Amino acid sequence: VNVTYIPHVDEQKTVKGFFSLASDISDRKAIERMKDEFISVVSHELRTPLTSLHSALKILATGRLGTLSLDGQQMLAIADENTERLVRLVNNVLDLQRIESGKFTMEKQACNAADLMIQATEAMQPMAQQHGVTLATKPINIQIWVDSDYIVQALTNLLSNAIKFSSPGGTVSLKVECLQQSQVLFCVHDEGQGIPQSKLESIFERFQQVDSSDSRKKGGTGLGLAICRKIIEQHEGKIWAESTLGKGSTFCFTLPVLHG
Ligand code: ADP
């Protein structure tokens, strides 16, 4: 049941009391659950044929089965790029579904923040080079209590966005610092195109992009930040973005420090 409180205000604008409006939302919840299950089943069923399609395209591209004309090679590159996008989308949908379902447990353990930062930056180095972007990091030894695979996933999602939305010659930096109140703060900063203030919160929702053509132009799925938010929330942390249009963006998240 969803309960909404509506204030009852008299002519002097004094609040005299509240009306409460209770509505039964079990049908809506059931429909949402069915929709999530449907998306999950479809994505799961798509994954196997997509993976074999992707492998077949990769073999064709090697030229071992015969040489393609220049036009043929271009067609193959387009097919390959779009298959990769679909694989990413399906994997992202399944990731988000898995995290949201609460059916899995995060395997939290003591980790060194520096190790996770090095893992994430090493993984993103080839993409940075491809885009002509310098990837800089200042790893600091701080012990945190996290599921390292998921935190590395959140960091690589943020680094990949930062690289994607940077211009060649730009720098993307990853920093960590210890805050008061037993928190560590991770920040991924870029010097890219920036994000309008009005979109700084909505981009953390599923399929929300500043420019709806971003998914086509930049190969995104619109799910990366929604996944990051879920991962950080599962660690009792907070995630947010700051930005100046035309100057760049900073994505920050906090995590609790390990004591004792
Ligand atoms: P996508 O797969 O589209 O990158 P995300 O959920 O990761 O999906 O990001 C959502 C949107 O937020 C992006 O499409 C883009 O419009 C915006 N965005 C995210 N990171 C950045 C960034 N570093 N600079 C500029 N825009 C960004």
Side-chain angles (χ1 to χ4, degrees):
V1 175
N2 189 26
V3 182
T4 316
Y5 293 97
I6 305 158
H8 168 50
V9 184
D10 66 10
E11 288 90 57
Q12 277 78 46
K13 298 216 159 52
T14 312
V15 177
K16 289 289 186 192
F18 289 88
F19 297 110
S20 57
L21 186 69
S23 45
D24 182 352
I25 55 165
S26 33
D27 280 354
R28 206 171 75 203
K29 287 264 176 219
I31 291 170
E32 270 173 27
R33 237 190 342 264
M34 276 165 64
K35 193 186 77 189
D36 284 351
E37 269 167 31
F38 174 75
I39 294 175
S40 157
V41 169
V42 171
S43 308
H44 209 260
E45 292 304 313
L46 279 174
R47 189 147 65 167
T48 315
L50 267 177
T51 313
S52 68
L53 182 61
H54 195 211
S55 316
L57 291 173
K58 287 277 178 236
I59 292 171
L60 276 180
T62 61
R64 264 186 300 172
L65 304 178
T67 325
L68 282 173
S69 66
L70 214 56
D71 283 350
Q73 286 175 25
Q74 268 171 6
M75 287 291 165
L76 193 60
I78 294 171
D80 186 43
E81 193 183 307
N82 283 286
T83 313
E84 269 180 19
R85 234 180 90 197
L86 266 175
V87 171
R88 266 202 305 277
L89 179 61
V90 164
N91 284 337
N92 279 351
V93 168
L94 290 172
D95 273 353
L96 193 57
Q97 173 81 19
R98 189 157 36 95
I99 302 171
E100 276 182 340
S101 71
K103 281 189 202 134
F104 80 110
T105 42
M106 293 254 168
E107 309 253 328
K108 292 184 191 168
Q109 52 184 325
C111 298
N112 184 353
D115 291 340
L116 308 188
M117 294 167 84
I118 292 167
Q119 265 186 57
T121 40
E122 278 180 0
M124 297 318 294
Q125 201 61 57
M127 181 180 177
Q129 267 170 16
Q130 218 176 24
H131 283 73
V133 169
T134 306
L135 201 50
T137 185
K138 256 200 201 154
I140 296 178
N141 293 319
I142 305 173
Q143 287 295 105
I144 45 179
W145 183 254
V146 296
D147 184 314
S148 56
D149 288 345
Y150 278 101
I151 296 303
V152 170
Q153 184 180 358
L155 287 173
T156 50
N157 278 355
L158 297 179
L159 288 171
S160 137
N161 277 348
I163 297 168
K164 238 173 18 183
F165 294 100
S166 286
S167 302
T171 298
V172 166
S173 59
L174 168 61
K175 288 186 188 142
V176 65
E177 65 179 281
C178 237
L179 295 182
Q180 284 165 347
Q181 298 145 356
S182 324
Q183 304 266 303
V184 275
L185 174 71
F186 286 81
C187 291
V188 174
H189 175 74
D190 67 66
E191 303 165 339
Q193 63 190 57
I195 303 162
Q197 290 295 311
S198 60
K199 303 274 178 167
L200 284 177
E201 282 188 26
S202 64
I203 49 172
F204 288 93
E205 306 286 331
R206 301 178 201 187
F207 300 117
Q208 292 296 320
Q209 297 177 310
V210 172
D211 177 349
S212 55
S213 63
D214 274 351
S215 59
R216 199 170 12 87
K217 283 192 296 205
K218 308 274 184 189
T221 62
L223 288 172
L225 291 178
I227 293 173
C228 288
R229 184 166 69 175
K230 288 284 164 200
I231 292 174
I232 301 307
E233 279 173 2
Q234 291 273 350
H235 284 86
E236 283 94 46
K238 286 194 172 36
I239 183 164
W240 69 94
E242 295 162 8
S243 187
T244 310
L245 266 184
K247 287 234 155 91
S249 312
T250 309
F251 282 78
C252 304
F253 65 81
T254 56
L255 289 175
V257 173
L258 177 64
H259 289 290

